[in-house]
Amino acid sequence: GIGIGGVTSPFDKLQVRTATDCNFVFSSAGSTEASFEIFNNAGSSNTPLNYRASEHKFKIQANEKMRLDSTGRLLIGASTATFDAAWANLQLRSTDGAAIVIAREDATVTADEDIGSIRFYANDAGSYHECAKISAEADDAFGSSSKPSSLRFFTTDTGASSPTQRMIINSGGYISNKTSNIGSISGA
């Protein structure tokens, strides 16, 4: 192995030691991107990248944009947790109000097609099972200026093993359960 910075017996192929920050710079002389790639003997890039640190910071220019902290939380737009609990795994912060964007990549959306969903699972007895779901679906075919859609809410009943649709807010603003209209949202 190769040792740099006073390393006399490197523990692997390359070991670098410094008294302060140890920085590696990859730069491109032209307009192309600089890259860091790891390949296996077959020449494919399907090799896992393993690296260790107490936390990982991702910056654009000198501005931190994302951090994976020591508890495994992904912080986007923040360098410290907004809610300090190890189970609060994804935290977003923005001066304009953080948003999660879910999009369907399709040129022709027709009635009853999924636009996106948030699914909730629990691991009981060693396997994951879906417990609840919030889904956005197309109520009719989409046009250039018409996107009729609904939000559908699913929960799992006692004794059941999968979620059942319980409530719909349709494109007209009406709230209904699976069998009947409950009413309309004020102002709809």
Side-chain angles (χ1 to χ4, degrees):
I2 299 171
I4 299 173
V7 176
T8 55
S9 299
F11 60 83
D12 218 318
K13 304 291 187 262
L14 172 65
Q15 183 177 349
V16 179
R17 180 186 303 145
T18 66
T20 58
D21 293 342
C22 184
N23 298 309
F24 294 90
V25 177
F26 300 90
S27 63
S28 174
S31 60
T32 58
E33 294 180 353
S35 64
F36 176 70
E37 299 180 36
I38 298 176
F39 292 93
N40 58 20
N41 288 338
S44 67
S45 59
N46 299 343
T47 308
L49 175 61
N50 298 308
Y51 59 99
R52 290 176 282 188
S54 60
E55 51 185 27
H56 305 283
K57 301 172 187 176
F58 301 87
K59 296 182 177 186
I60 297 176
Q61 304 296 335
N63 301 311
E64 184 174 326
K65 300 297 181 183
M66 184 169 61
R67 178 182 295 219
L68 184 59
D69 74 8
S70 60
T71 63
R73 295 178 294 211
L74 179 60
L75 312 175
I76 300 174
S79 59
T80 58
T82 303
F83 184 63
D84 193 19
W87 51 263
N89 298 330
L90 175 63
Q91 299 187 30
L92 299 94
R93 194 183 307 165
S94 172
T95 55
D96 295 326
I100 296 173
V101 177
I102 300 171
R104 179 185 175 98
E105 182 67 35
D106 192 351
T108 56
V109 177
T110 59
D112 300 321
E113 286 189 321
D114 284 330
I115 298 167
S117 62
I118 301 172
R119 295 171 176 253
F120 304 88
Y121 284 78
N123 182 357
D124 187 39
S127 62
Y128 284 94
H129 297 278
E130 187 174 27
C131 302
K133 174 173 76 168
I134 301 171
S135 178
E137 295 183 13
D139 276 354
D140 203 348
F142 281 14
S144 61
S145 62
S146 179
K147 314 290 185 213
S149 54
S150 61
L151 282 179
R152 299 168 188 263
F153 298 83
F154 299 74
T155 61
T156 302
D157 199 1
T158 301
S161 61
S162 62
T164 301
Q165 183 173 289
R166 304 294 182 184
M167 185 177 78
I168 304 166
I169 303 173
N170 71 15
S171 58
Y174 288 94
I175 300 171
S176 61
N177 61 19
K178 194 169 184 175
T179 57
S180 62
N181 279 340
I182 296 170
S184 66
I185 295 174
S186 178

